[in-house]
C-alpha cells in the first residue's frame, strides 16, 4: 500500500515532464535531450527563490512557467528552426537535433554548476500527512495535485480549443497540417515552448520532495523518454499510464530491493517495451 | 580495389610506424598525453566503424570501455587471473552485450538506439555497484602489472591499427556497402532486399569489442579501479565529439579530431576544471552549426571548390 501511494504520487510529476517532452518530440519533431536540464532549471529556480527570498515554490511556478516558455521559444527559433530547415529528412533532423540538444544540455549543466554546484536542499511542507492509511510527506501530495491540475488543463486545451486542435494536427502530419492552412513553424515553436514550460514546472514541483543537483538532468531525460516511448509518441493517455507504471515500479524497486537500482528497473521496462510493444501501449502496430 | 585505396592504406601504415617511435622521443607529461590521445583515437575510430556509415549515434562506448576495465580489475584482483586472460575475455563479454543491445534496439528506429545507449553506462555502473556492495563486499580493485606507459601506448597503437585495417576491409566489402545504403536511406535498403538489422548488429558488436579491449588495456594505467571511475558517461560523449569533430565520413577522420581536441581538453581541464561540461556543450554546438561534416568534411569541401575553380 505504501508503494502504491507513493508510486502514484511520484507518477503525477513524471506524467507532467513526459507530457512536456511529448509536445516537443511529437509536435515540434525535436528529440530534446536537454529536457532534463529544463527540469533541473525549474528546480534550481524554486530552490534559489525559496532559500534567498523565502518565496513558496507554488508561487515560483508562476514565474518559472512564463520564463521557461519564453526561453524555450527562443531556443526553438534561434537554434532548432535552422536545423529543421536544413534537414532533408526526418532521420537527418533527428541526428542534428540530438547532437544540438546534447550541446545545450552540457552547456546548461555547466552554467548551473557554476551557479550552484551543491545539492538543492530545502524544506518545504515536509510535515507528514496520512493518506489512505499510509504516511506521506505533504509536499509529495501537493506536488501531485498541482501536476494533475496542470496536466488536466493541458489535456483540455489540446482537445477542446482551436489552437489545441492545430497542435494535434501538426503532430499527426506536418505537411498535411500546412496544406489546411496551419502555420506549422509557429505551432511547432509554441508546442516546443509549452513543452519546455511544462517540464520546468515539473522540475519546480519535484524539487519540493526530491533533492536534485545540477547534473542530474540526464536521469530525468531518460525517464521522460522511457515514458514517452512506452506510452507511444504523441499519445497523452499512454504517457499517463506509462508514468504510473514507471512511478510504481521505481518505488517498488527502491523500497523492496535497493534505491540504487531504480535506473536499472527503468531500463528493464524500456527493454520490455522495445521488445514487445515498440509502438506504445495503445499504439497500433505499423504495417 | 582501387589504387587510391592502397595508397590510403600505405599512408596509414607509415603513420603507424612513425607513431610507434613517439615513446622513444618523449616521456613523462607528453607521453601520458600521447597515451590518452591514442586511447581516444582507438575508441573513436572504432566508433566511426559503426556510426560513420549508419549515422546512428552510439553512446555505448563508456559502457563497453567500463566492462573492459572492470572485468580486468575483478579478474586480477579477486580471482588472481592473468591480465592477458582477462584482456581477452572482457571484449568477448562486451561483444555479447553489444549483440543483445543491438538485437533489441537496432531493428527499430535510430532514436530508440540513441536513448538506450544514453543511460547504459550509468545503469551498468548502478548494477555493478549494487552487486559489489551487497555480495562482494565494497572495496576497490587493484590492477598491478609491470607495464609502463610506453607498453600501454604500443598496445593501444596496435589496436588502432587493427581497427583501421578492419575498417578498410569492411568499407570494401558487401557488408560495408550494405551499411552505406542503410545510412543513406533505410527504406530503400530494405526494398532492394538488404537485411538491415544484421549488418548493423555485427558492426555494433565490433565497436563493442574494441571499446572493451581499449578499456582492458588501459586499466593497468589506473592501478586502482572502482565502478564510478570506469563507467563514465562522459567518455561516451568525448568519443562522439572527437569523432564528429574530425569527421565521421572517413575512417581516418577521428585522428584529425582527437589530436587537437585532446590538447585543448588538457588545457581546459587544468585551467578551468569547473567549466569542462560547459566546454563539451559548446564544442557540440560548434560541430552541429559550424562543422556538420567535421574538419575533414570542411577540407574536402574546400578542395572540391578549388578543383572546380581550376576547371572552370
Amino acid at each position: 500500500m505504501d508503494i502504491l501511494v507513493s508510486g502514484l504520487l511520484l507518477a503525477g510529476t513524471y506524467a507532467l515532464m513526459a507530457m512536456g517532452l511529448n509536445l516537443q518530440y511529437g509536435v515540434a519533431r525535436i528529440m530534446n535531450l536537454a529536457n532534463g536540464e529544463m527540469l533541473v532549471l525549474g528546480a534550481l529556480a524554486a530552490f534559489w527563490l525559496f532559500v534567498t527570498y523565502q518565496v513558496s515554490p507554488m508561487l515560483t511556478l508562476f514565474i518559472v512557467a512564463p520564463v521557461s516558455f519564453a526561453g524555450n521559444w527562443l531556443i526553438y527559433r534561434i537554434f532548432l528552426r535552422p536545423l529543421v530547415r536544413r534537414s532533408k529528412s526526418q532521420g537527418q533532423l533527428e541526428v542534428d537535433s540530438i547532437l544540438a540538444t546534447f550541446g545545450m544540455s552540457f552547456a546548461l549543466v555547466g552554467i548551473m554548476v557554476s551557479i550552484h554546484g551543491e545539492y538543492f536542499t530545502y524544506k518545504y511542507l515536509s510535515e507528514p500527512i496520512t493518506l489512505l492509511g499510509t504516511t506521506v510527506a505533504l509536499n509529495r501530495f501537493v506536488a501531485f495535485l498541482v501536476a494533475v491540475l496542470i496536466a488536466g488543463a493541458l489535456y483540455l486545451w489540446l482537445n477542446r480549443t482551436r489552437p489545441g486542435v492545430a497542435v494535434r494536427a501538426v503532430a499527426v502530419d506536418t505537411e498535411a497540417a500546412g496544406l489546411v492552412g496551419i502555420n506549422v513553424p509557429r505551432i511547432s515553436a509554441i508546442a516546443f515552448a509549452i513543452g519546455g514550460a511544462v517540464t520546468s514546472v515539473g522540475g519546480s514541483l519535484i524539487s519540493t520532495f526530491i533533492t536534485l543537483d545540477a547534473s542530474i538532468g540526464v536521469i530525468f531525460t531518460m525517464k521522460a523518454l522511457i515514458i514517452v516511448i512506452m506510452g507511444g509518441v504523441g499519445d497523452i493517455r499512454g504517457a499517463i499510464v506509462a508514468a504510473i507504471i514507471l512511478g510504481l515500479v521505481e518505488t517498488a524497486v527502491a523500497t523492496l530491493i535497493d534505491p540504487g537500482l531504480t535506473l536499472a528497473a527503468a531500463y528493464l521496462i524500456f527493454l520490455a517495451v522495445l521488445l514487445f510493444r515498440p509502438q506504445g501501449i495503445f499504439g497500433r502496430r505499423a504495417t | 580495389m582501387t589504387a587510391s585505396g592502397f595508397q590510403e592504406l600505405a599512408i596509414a601504415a607509415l603513420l603507424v610506424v612513425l607513431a610507434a617511435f613517439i615513446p622513444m622521443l618523449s616521456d613523462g607529461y607528453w607521453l601520458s598525453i600521447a597515451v590518452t590521445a591514442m586511447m581516444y583515437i582507438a575508441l573513436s575510430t572504432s566508433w566511426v566503424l559503426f556510426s560513420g556509415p549508419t549515422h546512428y549515434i552510439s553512446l555505448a562506448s563508456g559502457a563497453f570501455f567500463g566492462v573492459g576495465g572492470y572485468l580486468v580489475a575483478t579478474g586480477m584482483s579477486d580471482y588472481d587471473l592473468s591480465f592477458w586472460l582477462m584482456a581477452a575475455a572482457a571484449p568477448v563479454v562486451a561483444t555479447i552485450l553489444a549483440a543483445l543491445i543491438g538485437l533489441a534496439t537496432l531493428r527499430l528506429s535510430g532514436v530508440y538506439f540513441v536513448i538506450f545507449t544514453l543511460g547504459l553506462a550509468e545503469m551498468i555502473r548502478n548494477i555493478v555497484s549494487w552487486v559489489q556492495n551487497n555480495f562482494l563486499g565494497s572495496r576497490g580493485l587493484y590492477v598491478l602489472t609491470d607495464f609502463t606507459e610506453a607498453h600501454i601506448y604500443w598496445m593501444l597503437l596496435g589496436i588502432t591499427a587493427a581497427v583501421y585495417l578492419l575498417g578498410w576491409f569492411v568499407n570494401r566489402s558487401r557488408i560495408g556497402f550494405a551499411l552505406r545504403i542503410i545510412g543513406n536511406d533505410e527504406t530503400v535498403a530494405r526494398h532492394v532486399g538488404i537485411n538491415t538489422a544484421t549488418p548493423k548488429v555485427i558492426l555494433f558488436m565490433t565497436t563493442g569489442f574494441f571499446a572493451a579491449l581499449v578499456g582492458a588495456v588501459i586499466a593497468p594505467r589506473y592501478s586502482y579501479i572502482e565502478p564510478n571511475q570506469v563507467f563514465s558517461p562522459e567518455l561516451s560523449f568525448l568519443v562522439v565529439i572527437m569523432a564528429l569533430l574530425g569527421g565521421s565520413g572517413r575512417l581516418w577522420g577521428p585522428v584529425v579530431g582527437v589530436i587537437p581536441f585532446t590538447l585543448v581538453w588538457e588545457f581546459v581541464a587544468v585551467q578551468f576544471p569547473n567549466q569542462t561540461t560547459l566546454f563539451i556543450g559548446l564544442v557540440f554546438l560548434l560541430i552541429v552549426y559550424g562543422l556538420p561534416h567535421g574538419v575533414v568534411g570542411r577540407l574536402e569541401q574546400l578542395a572540391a571548390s578549388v578543383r572546380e575553380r581550376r576547371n572552370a
Side-chain angles (χ1 to χ4, degrees), chain A residues 79 86 94 102-103 258 267, chain B residues 59 111 116 119-120 130 288-289:
Chain A
F79 287 103
R86 173 173 104 183
E94 254 158 25
F102 267 147
D258 190 304
Y267 251 84
Chain B
L59 292 166
V111 188
F116 196 88
L120 193 66
W130 180 71
V288 177
Y289 294 101

Side-chain angles (χ1 to χ4, degrees), chain B residues 263-277:
Chain B
L263 295 174
V264 177
W265 178 251
E266 284 292 321
F267 173 77
V268 172
V270 173
Q271 298 292 320
F272 311 99
N274 298 322
Q275 306 303 330
T276 49
T277 325

Side-chain angles (χ1 to χ4, degrees), chain B residues 42-43 46 60-66 68-69 94 159 206-216:
Chain B
L43 286 172
S46 74
S61 322
F64 297 136
F65 179 87
I159 296 172
T206 321
T207 311
F209 177 89
F210 284 112
L213 189 59
V214 171

Side-chain angles (χ1 to χ4, degrees), chain B residues 5-287:
Chain B
F6 283 105
Q7 203 183 349
E8 193 189 307
L9 203 60
I11 295 172
L14 186 69
L15 283 176
V16 169
V17 172
L18 285 178
F21 286 105
I22 286 180
M24 322 271 181
L25 302 173
S26 60
D27 52 353
Y29 178 70
W30 287 106
L31 180 58
S32 99
I33 289 197
V35 172
T36 309
M38 196 46 84
M39 173 183 105
Y40 282 120
I41 291 174
L43 286 172
S44 47
T45 310
S46 74
W47 185 87
V48 163
L49 216 54
F50 168 74
S51 300
T54 57
H55 306 301
Y56 279 56
I57 298 161
S58 160
L59 292 166
S61 322
F64 297 136
F65 179 87
V67 166
Y70 190 77
L71 281 182
V72 164
T74 318
M76 291 178 67
S77 223
D78 287 355
Y79 301 98
D80 275 331
L81 298 168
S82 85
F83 169 78
W84 298 109
L85 179 71
M86 290 318 293
V92 176
V93 174
T95 310
I96 296 169
L97 184 66
L100 296 177
I101 297 166
L103 288 174
T105 58
L106 286 174
R107 294 172 305 137
L108 304 162
S109 100
V111 188
Y112 295 167
F113 172 75
V114 182
I115 297 165
F116 196 88
T117 57
L118 168 63
L120 193 66
E122 182 73 14
M123 186 214 36
I124 296 181
R125 184 175 70 84
N126 286 351
I127 293 179
V128 166
S129 308
W130 180 71
V131 170
Q132 211 181 19
N133 291 338
N134 288 282
F135 304 108
L136 303 173
S138 135
R139 62 205 151 83
L141 302 161
Y142 293 91
V143 181
L144 302 171
T145 54
D146 319 325
F147 295 139
T148 62
E149 289 267 88
H151 291 134
I152 295 174
Y153 175 85
W154 281 317
M155 283 194 277
L156 290 171
L157 180 64
I159 296 172
T160 308
V163 173
Y164 185 84
L165 197 63
L166 181 74
W168 190 87
F169 277 113
V170 167
N171 276 345
R172 284 158 184 78
S173 67
R174 280 169 60 87
I175 191 171
F177 189 43
L179 275 179
R180 278 199 295 280
I181 298 171
I182 294 169
N184 282 335
D185 194 323
E186 199 148 345
T187 320
V188 169
R190 221 171 290 132
H191 280 257
V192 296
I194 295 171
N195 176 350
T196 53
T198 317
K200 285 190 285 187
V201 175
I202 291 175
L203 260 289
F204 185 56
M205 285 162 68
T206 321
T207 311
F209 177 89
F210 284 112
L213 189 59
V214 171
V217 164
I218 203 95
R221 191 190 198 194
Y222 301 120
S223 338
Y224 178 78
I225 294 235
E226 51 174 318
N228 286 345
Q229 165 203 1
V230 284
F231 291 103
S232 116
E234 195 182 77
L235 182 97
S236 315
F237 285 100
L238 288 177
V239 169
V240 174
I241 283 190
M242 293 188 213
L244 291 178
L245 185 64
S248 57
R250 293 269 177 268
L251 202 51
W252 45 271
V255 182
V256 182
V258 170
I259 295 171
F261 187 87
T262 313
L263 295 174
V264 177
W265 178 251
E266 284 292 321
F267 173 77
V268 172
V270 173
Q271 298 292 320
F272 311 99
N274 298 322
Q275 306 303 330
T276 49
T277 325
L278 182 60
F279 177 70
I280 293 183
L282 295 178
V283 178
F284 256 119
L285 292 174
L286 169 78
I287 291 170

